[in-house]
């Protein structure tokens, strides 16, 4: 009879949509070859305004400024996590941190997530695991997405898992192996446009619902080369900055019509990628009722979008990064070459021992 093994960990997630730092305390149990999980306490902490501004400009900083930001962010993340641990009187095995992505250029062998691990461990005095992407990139993979191993082992009752965060990404089984890829930008562009209208984001899609879709802008975005490429493939802020933003900026339509057109673009691209069966829908975009309506209208007839409890919607990525930490501690595969295109499966993550 196999031994039941349990783990308790905190996952930290800082996404490209800049909503804040997600902190999730999660428990995992391995029993007879199967994994189960429980999300316990959770919290999302907004960035202080000074840190938010620096993160927003991080791609433009000098090497020295970026190094200082790495330390400052790690220190702040550590302080927030320490307060979270003390408030809930939590005993955990380790902290697993995604970090905040600044550069993601797998073609150049580069991916950079800041949030210094030494600073986190100094603040919390608990083992820390971070830098989950670099190993896969060194093996000529995309370094992303990494969540699909968690989809496969923790959410196998669904045919697919769709996440609507800064970017929309999906994972599913195909020919007995997991495949996954970034579909399109999502909240990263909707939030940018909403802020121009004095809103932090398009709450429930109210702005998009009021606007009109501009066919010319929609076609230009739909025709971008990325959408013609086969997976594995992934997106980063640089792609948005170089490919999407110039097209949006050059359009002379109103901001609210741009929100509506970008929402339609996102729905177009997502609907093309949905498989038949039940799809789990998570991420902040799951609260965008108008976007979900547009996806459902265009999705395949036998595709069902399932929206779970808010703890899964909001903290699934933090949950799975804590699970990637479990797999790293066990020295088991946590990055799938079928997903990233790497030379082989790998076990990524830098461990800082307390």
């Amino acid at each position: 009879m196999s031994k039941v093994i349990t783990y308790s960990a905190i996952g930290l997630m800082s996404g490209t949509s800049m909503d804040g730092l997600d902190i999730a305390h999660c428990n995992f149990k391995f029993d007879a070859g199967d994994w189960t999980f429980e999300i316990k306490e959770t919290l999302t902490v907004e960035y202080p305004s000074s840190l938010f501004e620096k993160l927003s400009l991080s791609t433009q900083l000098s090497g020295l400024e970026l190094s200082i930001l790495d330390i400052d962010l790690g220190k702040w993340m550590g302080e927030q996590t320490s307060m979270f641990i003390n408030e809930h009187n939590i005993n955990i095995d380790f902290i697993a941190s995604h970090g905040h992505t600044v550069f993601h250029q797998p073609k150049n062998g580069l991916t950079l997530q800041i949030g210094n691990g030494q600073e986190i461990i100094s603040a919390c005095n608990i083992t820390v695991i971070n830098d989950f992407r670099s190993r896969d990139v060194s093996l000529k993979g995309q370094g992303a997405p990494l969540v699909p191993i968690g989809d496969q082992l923790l959410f196998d009752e669904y045919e697919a898992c769709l996440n609507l965060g800064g970017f929309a990404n999906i994972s599913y089984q195909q020919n007995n192996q997991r495949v996954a890829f970034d579909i399109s930008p999502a909240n990263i562009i909707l939030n940018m446009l909403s802020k121009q209208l004095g809103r932090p984001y398009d709450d429930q899609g109210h702005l998009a619902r009021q606007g009109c879709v501009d066919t010319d802008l929609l076609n230009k975005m739909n025709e971008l080369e990325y959408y013609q490429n086969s997976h594995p493939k992934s997106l980063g802020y640089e792609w948005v900055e170089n490919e999407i933003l110039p097209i949006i900026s050059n359009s002379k339509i109103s901001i609210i019509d741009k929100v509506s057109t970008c929402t339609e673009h996102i729905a177009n691209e997502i609907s093309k990628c949905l498989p038949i069966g039940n799809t789990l829908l998570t991420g902040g975009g799951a609260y965008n009722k108008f976007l979900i309506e547009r996806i459902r209208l265009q999705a395949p007839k036998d595709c069902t979008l399932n929206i779970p409890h808010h703890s899964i919607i909001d903290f699934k990525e933090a949950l799975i990064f804590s699970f990637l930490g479990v797999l790293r501690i066990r020295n088991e595969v946590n990055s799938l070459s079928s997903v990233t295109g790497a030379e082989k499966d790998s076990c990524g993550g830098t461990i800082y021992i307390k």
Side-chain angles (χ1 to χ4, degrees), residues 13-53:
M13 183 69 199
S14 175
T16 50
S17 54
M18 299 280 289
D19 296 331
L21 177 68
D22 291 337
I23 307 175
H25 172 214
C26 309
N27 290 338
F28 301 93
K29 182 168 70 173
F30 185 69
D31 184 5
D34 292 323
W35 286 100
T36 55
F37 70 88
E38 182 182 11
I39 298 177
K40 305 290 283 186
E41 299 82 11
T42 60
L43 177 68
T44 297
V45 189
E46 290 186 6
Y47 300 109
S49 57
S50 60
L51 192 56
F52 181 89
E53 290 302 320

Side-chain angles (χ1 to χ4, degrees), residues 337-353:
S337 58
S338 64
V339 168
T340 68
E343 294 173 343
K344 62 180 180 178
D345 293 346
S346 64
C347 182
T350 300
I351 303 177
Y352 300 85
I353 303 294

Side-chain angles (χ1 to χ4, degrees), residues 95-154:
I95 298 164
S97 174
H98 170 271
H100 187 84
T101 300
V102 178
F103 299 113
H104 183 67
Q105 302 175 13
K107 286 185 178 179
N108 296 322
L110 169 66
T111 186
L112 177 65
Q113 287 74 43
I114 61 173
N116 191 278
Q118 296 284 14
E119 293 293 339
I120 299 174
I121 195 173
S122 293
C124 300
N125 194 33
I126 295 169
T127 296
V128 171
I129 310 170
N130 69 355
D131 191 23
F132 285 95
R133 301 189 186 277
S134 294
R135 174 63 174 151
D136 184 83
V137 171
S138 73
L139 291 168
K140 299 182 172 55
Q142 291 287 307
L146 297 184
V147 167
I149 186 69
D151 293 343
Q152 178 175 300
L153 297 177
L154 301 180

Side-chain angles (χ1 to χ4, degrees), residues 195-255:
K195 285 171 185 173
Q196 294 179 43
L197 295 170
R199 312 278 183 87
Y201 57 92
D202 186 8
D203 185 19
Q204 299 185 52
H206 289 318
L207 295 175
R209 195 184 295 276
Q210 295 172 45
C212 297
V213 173
D214 181 78
T215 303
D216 182 59
L217 175 58
L218 180 64
N219 288 340
K220 286 179 179 177
M221 289 192 290
N222 288 351
E223 291 167 1
L224 285 168
E225 181 182 356
Y226 177 83
Y227 301 124
Q228 318 310 319
N229 298 336
S230 58
H231 57 77
K233 58 182 181 178
S234 62
L235 292 169
Y237 177 77
E238 299 99 316
W239 183 86
V240 173
E241 189 174 45
N242 295 329
E243 301 289 340
I244 284 280
L245 293 186
I247 296 174
I248 296 174
S249 298
N250 289 333
S251 174
K252 303 304 181 185
I253 63 175
S254 67
I255 300 299

Side-chain angles (χ1 to χ4, degrees), residues 179-194:
V179 297
F181 52 93
D182 287 336
I183 299 173
S184 70
N187 295 337
I188 192 170
I189 54 173
L190 296 181
N191 291 359
M192 285 180 184
L193 292 170
S194 297

